[in-house]
Amino acid sequence: APFPLLSRLDAADNEVAELGADIAALPALKSLDVANNQLRELPAALADCPRLKEANFRGNQLRDKRLEKMVNGCQTKAILEYLRAGGRGKGKAESGREDVRKKKREKQQKKDSGDGEQDEVEEASKLLVKVLHVSENPAPLVVKVSPGVKDVRAFIVCCVLKGVNLKPGNALKRFLTMQTKLHEDICEKRTVATIATHDLQLVKAPLTYDVQPPDELKIMPLGRKEIKAKDLLRQLQLEAEEQRKQKKRQNVSGLHKYLQLLDGKDSYPCLVDAEGAVISFPPITNSEKTKIRKETRDLFLEVTSDTSLQICKDVMDTLILKIAELNRSALENKEGSGSDMESDALCGPGNLNLPLVVEQVRVVDTDGNLKVLYPSKTDLATVSSLLTVIR
């Protein structure tokens, strides 16, 4: 392979007519964008790209109409499985049905032979999440996206998560540590995506995802006073220099690590509430106004990216799983919190497997046209082995 380190290939809008099978010779390829070209076929060799996690094939007139539908609505993993199986009716949908039938037969055989008890125990121990659909929600939250974000930080996915318990012991500290680890790992040091978590009760809807010039964007960062974005970055840069001098090293900690992610930007992305307050300034910080506290029970979750929508969804899937794991752990351990009667009741053995409720959030354009709905029926599939989703 002439490009052994190539991890991202953007070739959208280029009149590409053919994608060769030698695409599999790119061992480091993680992201592929060939949208709006003239492709008629997708090579099965794509399924052999060992690290390919995100791909955009939309806007191509594919001969395989089932595949064309999949590239417009399914996750990359499902598309690659379909290609691996040979496509044209031999993909995930059909093989998946056969797998379901096979599992049902095996499960019934185990029950008949008295060996099904372990499977049932494993299923019962899985974390539960219930999805509340927009149509069932009397007051669904909506995020409106301004056109200007397209050239700055185009992608955003949001949802509401209800029923979180952060009171026991160090549950809140572990929650914040978990978020930091996700930023380091799956978000690749915030270079591919950024997470923001808010106390839902402090979020004034409706929300607008917008861009503002650095000298106009004002935010009250976590633990700081209100400041313009331009001045905040200058302040953080000075702090970073001071850190380097004191510790005599090149590495810095905290927000200082991410300042270069905004280099060259004429406008900065921000999430603005109904009162005009900026509650999130990705990829740097969110606001003291919506800060999560021990008493927080309901969360508004936000993931943004300048890379792809699918990365936002994958990060959100993982974030929900990690919060569910922390919630289960807090309830099981009942770490001494001096909690009130309500939280004592929540920690009772009968409530250990109560589902968290994920409310769908619609992201729309300025005309109200739907851009993203999360979680859709195909979302949360990446964590399905550890999570039972009630839809």
Side-chain angles (χ1 to χ4, degrees), residues 31-61:
S31 174
L32 173 66
D33 188 352
V34 287
N36 304 317
N37 281 294
Q38 298 176 6
L39 297 174
R40 301 288 286 160
E41 305 278 354
L42 296 181
L46 279 167
D48 298 325
C49 292
R51 304 188 71 182
L52 185 60
K53 299 295 182 187
E54 182 272 321
N56 184 3
F57 305 112
R58 295 181 181 86
N60 290 287
Q61 301 296 316

Side-chain angles (χ1 to χ4, degrees), residues 30-264:
K30 292 182 180 179
S31 174
L32 173 66
D33 188 352
V34 287
N36 304 317
N37 281 294
Q38 298 176 6
L39 297 174
R40 301 288 286 160
E41 305 278 354
L42 296 181
L46 279 167
D48 298 325
C49 292
R51 304 188 71 182
L52 185 60
K53 299 295 182 187
E54 182 272 321
N56 184 3
F57 305 112
R58 295 181 181 86
N60 290 287
Q61 301 296 316
L62 301 174
R63 290 193 182 93
D64 186 339
K65 295 306 174 186
R66 176 180 288 183
L67 181 58
E68 189 170 329
K69 287 182 179 179
M70 290 182 72
V71 302
N72 288 320
C74 293
Q75 294 183 347
T76 299
K77 183 179 178 182
I79 296 168
L80 296 181
E81 286 179 358
Y82 182 84
L83 292 172
R84 184 178 288 111
R88 291 193 175 275
K90 301 172 187 175
K92 186 178 179 183
E94 192 159 302
S95 63
R97 282 194 289 270
E98 181 55 37
D99 286 345
V100 169
R101 295 189 198 105
K102 184 178 178 182
K103 285 178 181 177
K104 280 185 176 178
R105 288 196 298 270
E106 290 175 351
K107 193 171 182 180
Q108 189 59 49
Q109 288 170 358
K110 284 184 177 180
K111 281 187 176 180
D112 292 343
S113 62
D115 294 332
E117 188 175 339
Q118 183 62 34
D119 281 350
E120 291 176 5
V121 169
E122 289 177 4
E123 188 65 29
S125 67
K126 284 173 72 171
L127 299 154
L128 294 179
V129 168
K130 177 177 172 55
V131 175
L132 181 67
H133 296 266
V134 167
S135 58
E136 303 166 336
N137 192 344
L141 200 149
V142 177
V143 177
K144 186 177 289 186
V145 174
S146 299
V149 304
K150 182 179 180 182
D151 300 320
V152 178
R153 195 174 184 84
F155 306 104
I156 183 169
V157 168
C158 305
C159 71
V160 167
L161 187 63
K162 291 189 170 182
V164 175
N165 184 11
L166 299 173
K167 283 189 175 182
N170 62 354
L172 178 58
K173 182 179 179 181
R174 285 190 295 157
F175 175 89
L176 299 174
T177 301
M178 171 271 296
Q179 194 171 321
T180 299
K181 286 182 178 178
L182 289 181
H183 272 144
E184 290 293 308
D185 299 334
I186 191 172
C187 296
E188 298 182 23
K189 301 185 186 300
R190 302 198 193 191
T191 57
V192 298
T194 306
I195 297 163
T197 55
H198 309 266
D199 186 326
L200 180 67
Q201 302 304 316
L202 305 175
V203 173
K204 307 298 181 185
L207 301 172
T208 303
Y209 185 48
D210 201 0
V211 290
Q212 295 182 16
D215 56 351
E216 292 181 17
L217 194 161
K218 289 183 178 179
I219 186 170
M220 187 183 293
L222 291 167
R224 297 172 185 254
K225 295 180 180 179
E226 187 177 67
I227 189 172
K228 289 182 179 179
K230 178 180 67 174
D231 296 332
L232 173 63
L233 261 64
R234 187 184 300 118
Q235 190 179 99
L236 291 170
Q237 284 164 349
L238 291 172
E239 290 175 7
E241 287 303 317
E242 189 61 29
Q243 271 192 31
R244 289 191 183 100
K245 289 177 183 177
Q246 288 180 358
K247 299 185 179 180
K248 297 181 180 179
R249 62 184 188 187
Q250 289 300 309
N251 295 329
V252 291
S253 61
L255 300 180
H256 312 93
K257 293 185 290 186
Y258 310 114
L259 302 182
Q260 78 283 357
L261 299 177
L262 290 174
D263 286 351

Side-chain angles (χ1 to χ4, degrees), residues 157-161 299-301 316 320 358-361 374-375:
V157 168
C158 305
C159 71
V160 167
L161 187 63
L299 307 175
F300 173 68
L301 307 178
M316 185 68 87
I320 290 172
V358 186
E359 292 185 4
Q360 289 181 322
V361 169
Y374 183 93

Side-chain angles (χ1 to χ4, degrees), residues 20 41 71 87 127 138 183 189 193 268 274 309 329-330 343 377 391:
E41 305 278 354
V71 302
L127 299 154
H183 272 144
K189 301 185 186 300
Y268 292 162
L309 179 64
S329 175
S343 56
K377 62 183 179 181
R391 300 186 189 271

Side-chain angles (χ1 to χ4, degrees), residues 325-373:
E325 289 175 346
L326 287 175
N327 213 48
R328 167 75 72 85
S329 175
L331 293 174
E332 285 178 340
N333 295 336
K334 292 194 286 186
E335 302 156 352
S337 62
S339 56
D340 55 24
M341 289 179 64
E342 180 190 5
S343 56
D344 284 342
L346 282 167
C347 290
N351 292 287
L352 288 180
N353 218 20
L354 280 177
L356 290 170
V357 175
V358 186
E359 292 185 4
Q360 289 181 322
V361 169
R362 297 170 69 242
V363 175
V364 301
D365 62 19
T366 49
D367 296 322
N369 300 312
L370 182 66
K371 291 174 69 69
V372 188
L373 176 70

